[in-house]
Each structure stands twice: as structure tokens, then as C-alpha cells.
Amino acid sequence: MNPLANPPQSLAVELVGLHKWYGSFHALRGVDLAVAPGERIVICGPSGSGKSTLIRCINQLERHQAGTVSVDGEEAAPDPRRLQSVRRKAGMVFQGFNLFPHLTVLQNCTLAPVQSGLASLAEAQATALELLARVRVADQAHKHPAQLSGGQQQRVAIARALCMKPKIMLFDEPTSALDPEMVKEVLDTMIELARDGMTMLAVTHEMAFARQVADRVVFMDEGRIVEEAPPQDFFERPQHARTRAFLGQLLH
Amino acid sequence: MADVTLLARPQPSSRLVVLVKRLFGGPLNALLTVLVLWGAWSAAAPLVRWAVVDAVLLPAEPAACRDATGACWSFVVAKSGQILFGIYPIDERWRPMLVSAALLGLLGYSLRPAAWRPSLAVLWAIALPASFLLMFGGFAGLSYVATTMWGGLPVTLILAVASLGGALPLSILLALGRRCELPAIRILCVLFIELTRALPLLTILFVASILLPLLVPEWLLPDKFFRALIALLLFAAAYLAEVVRGGLQALPPGQAEAAQALGLGYWRTQRHVVLPQALAAVIPSLTNTVIVMIKNTSLVLVVGLFDLISSGKAALADPEWSSPAMETYLFIAAVYFALCFGFGRFASALERHARTDP
């Protein structure tokens, strides 16, 4: 899919010349990326390559120092109202789930919609139960997160993000903290979400997921995008030596 | 194959049997037990004799106490009004009595988890100003009573409740401010906390009551009572702020990030995600500081306010009686103990509540 084929429709995500420093460490060194609505992007790369920083810049959990970030045609700016508007359009799922332990599963899902004035409590609960059923944890709605398995918690986290009716979903290594037997249930939920047409950017090392779902795979190294290609080309005919080295390490 | 015999679990002995075995099992244990019991009795017996056996328990004339070798509880009974309510005009004493009863009643009511609803905050927000109004009077036929005439339990209660009630919200703002990204706010909060913590409460009270009137025009200054109240409030806030900050720092950053990622703004993130967890984590240290501050209210006596201790001291000055200081201070200690122990129980209930049903 060519992201620029449809100019009147605004891009889901557009990064232009993005730079990010942590002190003197140059984490992102001029990243350009355009994601069309409905596209599924998998971002991979060795640790320290800047892929998590990149995805956290999209919803501005990390502030960039140069370049622009736009979500759904709206440029992210430090002003709080703009920040919240961008964040409401971009749901995020974290490696460590980050559910709120003092709230029930249902309260986790209804807090943000109710507090943002998006829905009344009754509406938010109805939406939440629907989405919890979709990720198959509706029966856990009244438990606290600590009573759930890691896989269940991550599926709740996905439902919680969906409750804000985001236009895009960001996944930051969503399966890395899970026990192996729970990885599949989370990936299956993500695959279903992709089938329903959600725009997704996922940082993950699950290459089977990338093959199955991604429209494009983006390979990052040392703060730059080294290579981006549809999964077939990416895995069969990687262009760069660093990509080949990375894929070689993953396979062995 | 070996035969697997199922052994019956031995029946646990009764507690009494265990106790006797532990205390008297063997000659050395028995000897130690007897020695310790004898020591405890020799220490306790004179106390019991003084406090109960030889004491003047019932209301009696001052002369009865002069002849007695034991405690003079009748003094405490006779003077309880003055100890508890100070030099507040006797005809108007129902006012401090009502205020104390209302504040204590509301404190007791607040202990029950069932009462922890927003309406409780409203109740307190009405009770405190109403207490001040009733103590002051000067309306609806009530005579005006200046704060210099206030004394005893209501002074201690009002100082403790108002200073801590104001200090806790302020301490939360200070703790958040100390972690703020805006340098001006952060530096102000750090300066306030570090300066206030570095000064003894006594100096702060002296500055508020003696130095301030020399520097600031009189019409700009509130009453001495309120100056002391504000000094206590600010002092408590600086200490509580650091306790709250400890809770904030213990919380994984992912919690606030998750709330932000959901589009919640700063205050909603703090209110619904960060503070409920951070405060619950530091309940034991908060309790500690609150109890210390309840007892610190007694320091206002150095600036001439009549709290419970100074009223007790004033009551002792009556030449009719043989100044039974020990009894009076024990009585005052009992009141402080009831307040602080009560708050401690409240805090443990709160802690259990936070753990089981957040």
C-alpha cells in the first residue's frame, strides 16, 4: 500500500525529520515515517535502536527535540489540550501492561472515557463490557488486575485502550513480558484487531505476527530507519547487511 | 514396597498447657518466671496503692486530699471543667463543650469506612467554621469571647484538626510541586520544604507570635491563635510533603504514563491514578507524622495559648488544693493518648481498607 496514494485523507501517523536526545545520547537521528489509515506496521530492530522511543514519541510520552509528529493530521505540540487530543487518537499498549492495580478491570476501562467526558458512566461500562468480551475477559470485569494472568492483563490493557475509541493503536513490545504460553492469546487478539481494520504500529520481535499481519516491516538501528518493506520482501530479500545480520540472529 | 503408614497429626495442646510448659518447664525456667513475676509485682504494687488503694477517688473537699497519701483524683474531678475548657467564661462553657463534643463525635463518625463519602468532607467543612463561630460568639445574643480566653480541649482539637486538615492537601500540592517540570514551582516548593524542616517548631511559633507583630502592621495580622494555627499547618505540611513524595516516588512511572496515554490530563492523572496508590503506600508514615503533630499542638503554650496542658497547669495554681500535678498530667496524658491511639486505629482501618477494597 502506498501511503501517499490518497492525499486528501490525512495520514494516520506522519513523522518528519524526528530527532530525540536523552542528554547527550542521540536516540532518534532523523526518522521519517508515514502511515496511512488502516495500515499495519511492525517495527523491529536490536535493543537500543530507538524503536520504543519512536513509538513513544508518537503519543508524546517522549518529547522530541526536532522534527514533527502528526497523528491523524494533527501536529503534536506541548500545549496540554493538543497533547490530550493526540493521545486520545492513539491508544497505547505497554510491555508491562500498566493496568491500574487499585481499580477493577471494568474501572480500568471506564476511567478515561468518563473522566474525558467522552461517555457517561453507564455508556462507558456498556462499551467496556463489549470490548472486554471481544478480548475474551468479560468474566473478569469485576476482579482486580493482580487476580488475572499476564495474558489476561494484557488483553484488558488492549480493551482499555480501545475504550477511548482511538484511530490508531500503538503496541510497545506487548508480548515481551509474558510467559511463553500466554503470548499466543495476546497475538490472536492483536490479529483480530488488525482484521477489523485498525491502524496499528507494533514494536515486536514476533516475526510470525509480522508475516501474518503487517503491511510493512520497519527495521531500525542506531536511531535510524534502515529498511522498510512489505514482510515478504523484508524476510526473503533484506537489502541491508544490518537487516540480514539482525534476521540471522532472530532465526538462530 | 514399604508400608506407608498414615500418621495422625498430633493434636495441638491447649494454650494454657503450652504457656505453663514454656514458663515452668525445667527448674531454670521456673526460677526465672518466679523472679520476673516478683519483680513486676514489686514495681506495680506501690503504683496500685498510690493510684487506687490510698487514693481519694470520689469528689471531696480539698482537705481530704491533704491528708491522703495516695492520688488525689477528686482534684481532677473537681477541676475537670477548668482543665478541659480553660478560662472560657463559666456561664458560656456549654459552647466549648458543644464544640468539643461535635468535633470528637465527628472524628468518631469519620472512623467508619461506611462514612468515607464526599459528604463527610462537606460535614467537616461545615463543622470547623461553625466551631470557630460558636467559640467566638458575638452574634444572636452570644457574648463575644476572644481567643485569649479560649483554652483546653477545644483549643487542642481545633488546632490539631484545622492544622492537619489544611496541611494534608497543602503537602500533596508541595510534593507534586517538588516533582514539577516547571523550575519556578519546583524551586519554590523545595525552598519551602527545606526551610521549614530546618527550623524547630518553637522558633516558627515564636516568629509567628512575637516577631511578626513587630514587622507587620497590626491591621494586617490575624489573631495570635490563627498565627499559631497557620504556623502549625505550614510546619506539618513540610513534613507530610516529604512523606507523600516518598509515596509518589515508589509508584512505577508506567502508571502515570498509562493514564497520560489514555488522554488524561495532569490533574486527573494525579487524582485518579497516582495519588490513590501513592497515599495508600505511605499510610504508616503519614500516621506517624500526624500523631507527632497532634502532640506538637501542645507547644503553643510557649506563645501564651491555653491548650490542654497549659489549662491543666493553670488549674494547679489554685491555692486551695495541694497541687496534685501528677494526677493532672496523667489525666491530660490520657486525653492525648485517647486522641492519638484513636487516630492510630483509624489509620490501620484505612490501611486495611486500601488493601482489600481499593
Side-chain angles (χ1 to χ4, degrees), chain B residues 88-114:
Chain B
Y88 204 90
I90 293 189
D91 294 339
E92 302 291 329
R93 202 171 259 171
W94 62 271
R95 280 151 63 178
M97 281 170 112
L98 188 63
V99 164
S100 305
L103 289 180
L104 283 174
L106 196 50
L107 278 172
Y109 173 74
S110 309
L111 301 189
R112 297 160 44 253

Side-chain angles (χ1 to χ4, degrees), chain B residues 202-272:
Chain B
L202 274 184
T203 25
I204 297 179
L205 283 170
F206 273 126
V207 167
S209 72
I210 296 161
L211 206 56
L212 230 45
L214 298 177
L215 302 174
V216 183
E218 200 178 332
W219 56 271
L220 251 176
L221 273 185
D223 191 272
K224 186 162 79 175
F225 184 87
F226 289 95
R227 296 205 299 271
L229 173 55
I230 291 167
L232 284 171
L233 188 155
L234 296 178
F235 189 77
Y239 274 87
L240 290 169
E242 287 297 281
V243 175
V244 173
R245 192 166 68 97
L248 293 175
Q249 274 174 342
L251 198 66
Q255 289 291 309
E257 279 179 359
Q260 284 162 10
L262 285 164
L264 291 180
Y266 177 79
W267 291 108
R268 289 201 167 94
T269 298
Q270 304 304 324
R271 160 80 186 76
H272 295 284

Side-chain angles (χ1 to χ4, degrees), chain A residues 41-46 49 51 207 216-222 224-229 234 240-247 249-250:
Chain A
I41 310 286
V42 162
I43 304 168
C44 60
S49 59
K51 50 197 194 308
M207 290 302 136
R216 267 188 292 160
V217 179
V218 171
F219 175 70
M220 288 186 73
D221 194 19
E222 292 179 340
R224 289 191 187 86
I225 293 181
V226 174
E227 182 161 356
E228 48 178 305
F234 182 82
H240 287 261
R242 275 185 287 177
T243 317
R244 283 195 289 272
F246 175 73
L247 287 174
Q249 278 167 349
L250 274 192

Side-chain angles (χ1 to χ4, degrees), chain B residues 8 165 241 318:
Chain B
D318 188 342

Side-chain angles (χ1 to χ4, degrees), chain A residues 55-62 71 82-95 97-100 108 111-113 116 118 157-158 160-172, chain B residues 253-266 268-269 273:
Chain A
I55 206 162
R56 287 164 62 88
C57 277
I58 294 174
N59 69 350
Q60 295 286 291
L61 285 182
E62 302 289 351
V71 174
R82 182 70 72 79
L83 211 56
Q84 281 173 40
S85 157
V86 164
R87 284 173 178 167
R88 279 170 200 175
K89 289 176 184 173
M92 186 175 231
V93 175
F94 298 85
Q95 179 177 355
F97 326 140
N98 294 359
L99 293 178
F100 307 133
N108 262 277
L111 177 68
S116 322
L118 219 65
I158 293 173
R160 177 175 74 175
L162 291 174
C163 281
M164 289 300 286
K165 304 199 165 71
K167 298 206 164 174
I168 63 169
M169 283 287 281
L170 308 170
F171 293 86
D172 188 4
Chain B
Q255 289 291 309
E257 279 179 359
Q260 284 162 10
L262 285 164
L264 291 180
Y266 177 79
R268 289 201 167 94
T269 298
V273 175

Side-chain angles (χ1 to χ4, degrees), chain B residues 174 177-192:
Chain B
L174 284 169
R178 196 167 181 168
R179 290 160 55 93
C180 184
E181 285 171 20
L182 304 172
I185 295 179
R186 189 175 58 238
I187 290 168
L188 272 178
C189 292
V190 170
L191 275 179
F192 174 81

Side-chain angles (χ1 to χ4, degrees), chain A residues 3-136:
Chain A
L4 299 175
N6 209 355
Q9 197 183 11
S10 51
L11 290 165
V13 175
E14 188 179 23
L15 310 178
V16 180
L18 198 63
H19 285 268
K20 165 81 187 169
W21 284 264
Y22 293 105
S24 62
F25 177 66
H26 201 169
L28 293 179
R29 308 179 177 203
V31 173
D32 298 289
L33 182 68
V35 182
E39 251 196 310
R40 273 87 58 168
I41 310 286
V42 162
I43 304 168
C44 60
S47 65
S49 59
K51 50 197 194 308
S52 277
T53 306
L54 177 74
I55 206 162
R56 287 164 62 88
C57 277
I58 294 174
N59 69 350
Q60 295 286 291
L61 285 182
E62 302 289 351
R63 181 85 194 123
H64 55 280
Q65 281 97 14
T68 59
V69 172
S70 305
V71 174
D72 190 36
E74 189 173 9
E75 192 185 325
D79 130 67
R81 209 164 283 167
R82 182 70 72 79
L83 211 56
Q84 281 173 40
S85 157
V86 164
R87 284 173 178 167
R88 279 170 200 175
K89 289 176 184 173
M92 186 175 231
V93 175
F94 298 85
Q95 179 177 355
F97 326 140
N98 294 359
L99 293 178
F100 307 133
H102 61 301
L103 301 177
T104 64
V105 164
L106 188 60
Q107 288 167 335
N108 262 277
C109 293
T110 56
L111 177 68
V114 172
Q115 288 301 322
S116 322
L118 219 65
S120 71
L121 182 61
E123 288 164 359
Q125 284 178 337
T127 311
L129 286 171
E130 203 175 291
L131 287 165
L132 287 171
R134 198 164 134 196
V135 300
R136 291 179 299 278

